[in-house]
Amino acid sequence: MRVVRLAAEDDFEGWRSAARSAALAGIPAEHLHWQPGEATTDLFAASINSAPLPPVAPADDFAVPRRFIDVASDAILHVDPSRFAQLYALLLRLRDHPALMGDEADPSLRRISGMAAAVRRDIHKMRAFLRFREVIEADRTPRYIAWFEPEHHILRANAGFFVRRFATMRWSILTPRGSLHWDGATLHEGPGAHRSEAAGDDPVEAVWKSYYASIFNPARLKIGTMLKEMPRKYWKNMPETALIPSLIAGAEAREKNMVEAARIRPLGDGRAALEALREEALCCHRCPLWKPATQTVFGEGPADAHLMLVGEQPGDQEDLAGHPFVGPAGKILDRALAEAGIDRANAYVTNAVKHFKFEPRGKRRLHAKPNNGEISACRWWLDQERSIVRPRFIMALGASAAQALLDRPVTITRSRGQPILLDDESEAWVTVHPSFLLRIPDETRRAEEYSRFVADLTALKDRITAL
Ligand code: URA
């Protein structure tokens, strides 16, 4: 028996290189014992051979279908200890019969594809169900801590996603088998942790609970769907699930009420959830913009608005007043909305970024464009606002708002004037930011662009009326 040591449970490259060497050396699957992680005392005492496998000469190397590599790199993260051996056995067969990869009926290929699918589901669940809790550290800055129990060895595979999604926050993800710590610049790995090391109840949980109670609405989400999407094993890590028993108990009555009330939404719940969210946002430290700004400028408008208007960020006057779109850009917006026949009082008006970003110039504070990190840090709030208000239509004013909404860079000229379907089935529309109009020096051109702005709003208004 020959022992192959791998650096870790998810060491795909280590497995791949050892498997290639072993296959070329003609070693049968049953003569290899795969041992991931730290070397331990010998399992097979004197009978083992842990000498390194011979290196592969480039001339001897062999190719396997790309699809095998894709499946194997996922399946290797499965908890089943026999995965390394199963993959190696399949590799030996594939070397002689590459067409085997297309044989859906082959039992070992099916087993391995099933493992890969289970790993992908686990990766998705971690992204969807992980919840951060805020703790204030000794230097008085916040760190967000999450406890999660993945089924498979997916922690490292998911690290890039959380770094990109929460690039400007300091966070730690603790799991029983390992932990990740991000300080805004560097990712560190640590040992496994215990659930008690993650923080307990705190104000962030209150927001989740309130938000969750507001979205738990049988007209929007059937219980069955919710339970399927949010398996019971994750409930204990999710503050909002403390509400589930009472929500289920009340669900039947709610459903009946909903049927009776046709499509009317529980406004009270939405208002309370927005209020809780607004209060929470007042002390948002998700990115450094809170420091020089006067205050958080949160969204405003009816909690059941069918239309949401999203700007870029508060300007100088909004920062002082604490309300969105009350300065010069707001005046143009109001005028254009009125010309398009849209009543601003019926819309929920908010911004992609909730703090004023500026550069001081003498006594003046000049608007500075928010960067990708700031937009993505603040998207958390916009997502919560959207989940509570559930607008059917969202108008993004300018490229930053469109980027926050669509999670990708957007060119306004190419995207304006037509609906873009979002994953909750609402429609995003994009147009220019009203400040853009203010900055056009040429009067004729300014008038033309203003007309196009009004035309975009009118097209949206027509669409809303047509439904
Ligand atoms: N510009 C914005 O994008 N939002 C405001 O609230 C004000 C100006």
Side-chain angles (χ1 to χ4, degrees):
M1 177 66 72
R2 187 189 275 265
V3 170
V4 185
R5 298 204 197 285
L6 299 174
E9 294 278 1
D10 58 356
D11 181 11
F12 176 66
E13 286 309 323
W15 174 86
R16 186 179 183 176
S17 134
R20 194 190 275 140
S21 305
L24 285 168
I27 304 176
E30 59 279 14
H31 287 188
L32 285 183
H33 175 76
W34 299 88
Q35 194 173 311
E38 300 284 303
T40 52
T41 43
D42 296 334
L43 291 174
F44 305 102
S47 65
I48 67 161
N49 171 2
S50 53
L53 289 158
V56 177
D60 295 337
D61 209 355
F62 61 94
V64 286
R66 174 75 229 172
R67 218 191 116 220
F68 172 73
I69 302 296
D70 292 343
V71 171
S73 58
D74 286 334
I76 213 95
L77 308 181
H78 200 277
V79 276
D80 185 338
S82 72
R83 66 199 184 277
F84 304 110
Q86 288 195 47
L87 281 164
Y88 179 63
L90 182 62
L91 175 76
L92 291 182
R93 291 174 62 215
L94 270 176
R95 191 170 54 154
D96 301 328
H97 307 285
L100 177 65
M101 213 49 213
D103 181 358
E104 307 281 332
D106 182 81
S108 75
L109 177 59
R110 285 176 66 131
R111 239 186 346 265
I112 286 169
S113 300
M115 285 186 193
V119 164
R120 285 195 294 272
R121 272 197 304 278
D122 206 27
I123 287 178
H124 165 76
K125 282 180 179 149
M126 182 167 175
R127 293 177 184 187
F129 300 133
L130 181 138
R131 293 287 181 269
F132 286 105
R133 298 179 161 107
E134 185 180 37
V135 292
I136 303 298
E137 296 202 303
D139 61 0
R140 300 184 55 216
T141 56
R143 172 173 285 274
Y144 294 87
I145 307 221
W147 169 253
F148 196 78
E149 295 171 48
E151 245 173 81
H152 303 288
H153 300 287
I154 56 162
L155 182 62
R156 217 177 268 131
N158 249 342
F161 170 84
F162 287 100
V163 166
R164 282 192 301 280
R165 193 80 171 82
F166 302 107
T168 55
M169 289 161 48
R170 297 195 309 157
W171 51 257
S172 293
I173 297 177
L174 311 182
T175 82
R177 287 189 288 250
S179 51
L180 296 175
H181 308 274
W182 174 251
D183 61 9
T186 316
L187 187 69
H188 300 277
E189 286 186 22
H194 187 265
R195 187 177 158 72
S196 60
E197 291 167 59
D201 269 5
D202 71 359
V204 174
E205 294 205 353
V207 174
W208 276 109
K209 285 180 186 162
S210 163
Y211 151 68
Y212 193 71
S214 88
I215 64 163
F216 186 86
N217 177 335
R220 298 174 191 158
L221 190 66
K222 294 276 182 219
I223 292 179
T225 317
M226 184 193 75
L227 297 184
K228 191 161 139 262
E229 289 297 316
M230 189 191 289
R232 195 173 279 268
K233 61 180 282 222
Y234 299 106
W235 289 14
K236 61 183 182 294
N237 302 327
M238 305 177 73
E240 64 269 35
T241 55
L243 299 169
I244 283 180
S246 60
L247 289 170
I248 289 177
E252 213 178 296
R254 278 168 181 243
E255 187 145 19
K256 196 158 157 267
N257 291 342
M258 284 309 298
V259 171
E260 280 159 15
R263 294 171 49 78
I264 298 168
R265 289 182 282 180
L267 187 55
D269 281 356
R271 247 189 230 146
L274 269 183
E275 213 30 64
L277 196 64
R278 179 197 316 281
E279 264 178 40
E280 185 59 26
L282 292 182
C283 35
C284 175
H285 294 172
R286 280 171 182 264
C287 80
L289 291 184
W290 65 275
K291 282 186 203 158
T294 309
Q295 57 191 314
T296 304
V297 179
F298 204 69
E300 287 180 355
D304 61 347
H306 287 294
L307 172 63
M308 180 178 275
L309 301 171
V310 184
E312 182 192 71
Q313 60 163 341
D316 184 78
Q317 295 197 25
E318 288 80 11
D319 170 78
L320 298 172
H323 302 287
F325 281 108
V326 292
K331 301 233 165 8
I332 297 210
L333 176 63
D334 286 351
R335 202 177 109 206
L337 285 171
E339 283 181 35
I342 296 174
D343 185 352
R344 173 168 167 171
N346 291 335
Y348 184 88
V349 181
T350 190
N351 280 300
V353 171
K354 309 282 194 260
H355 282 114
F356 179 35
K357 181 176 179 181
F358 59 91
E359 279 161 19
R361 283 290 152 75
K363 286 193 182 156
R364 295 180 62 212
R365 303 187 299 172
L366 297 188
H367 164 277
K369 202 172 150 49
N371 63 32
N372 289 345
E374 288 148 0
I375 292 175
S376 94
C378 216
R379 194 167 50 221
W380 194 86
W381 298 110
L382 182 61
D383 286 347
Q384 306 316 310
E385 289 175 296
R386 280 183 57 201
S387 309
I388 295 170
V389 179
R390 309 274 295 183
R392 181 89 174 70
F393 302 94
I394 308 180
M395 177 58 100
L397 304 165
S400 300
Q403 178 179 339
L405 214 50
L406 303 174
D407 204 7
R408 60 175 166 84
V410 175
T411 317
I412 300 295
T413 41
R414 258 188 260 138
S415 316
R416 70 195 300 179
Q418 68 213 345
I420 303 166
L421 203 61
L422 299 177
D423 48 15
D424 64 354
E425 294 187 359
S426 59
E427 281 179 17
W429 291 64
V430 303
T431 187
V432 293
H433 192 282
S435 305
F436 159 73
L437 305 170
L438 285 173
R439 289 194 301 267
I440 301 175
D442 180 73
E443 211 175 302
T444 316
R445 199 175 147 238
R446 191 163 62 239
E448 281 166 11
E449 288 297 342
Y450 176 77
S451 299
R452 291 188 71 194
F453 181 52
V454 174
D456 286 345
L457 293 170
T458 309
L460 172 58
K461 161 74 182 177
D462 291 345
R463 171 90 178 124
I464 298 174
T465 322
L467 279 190

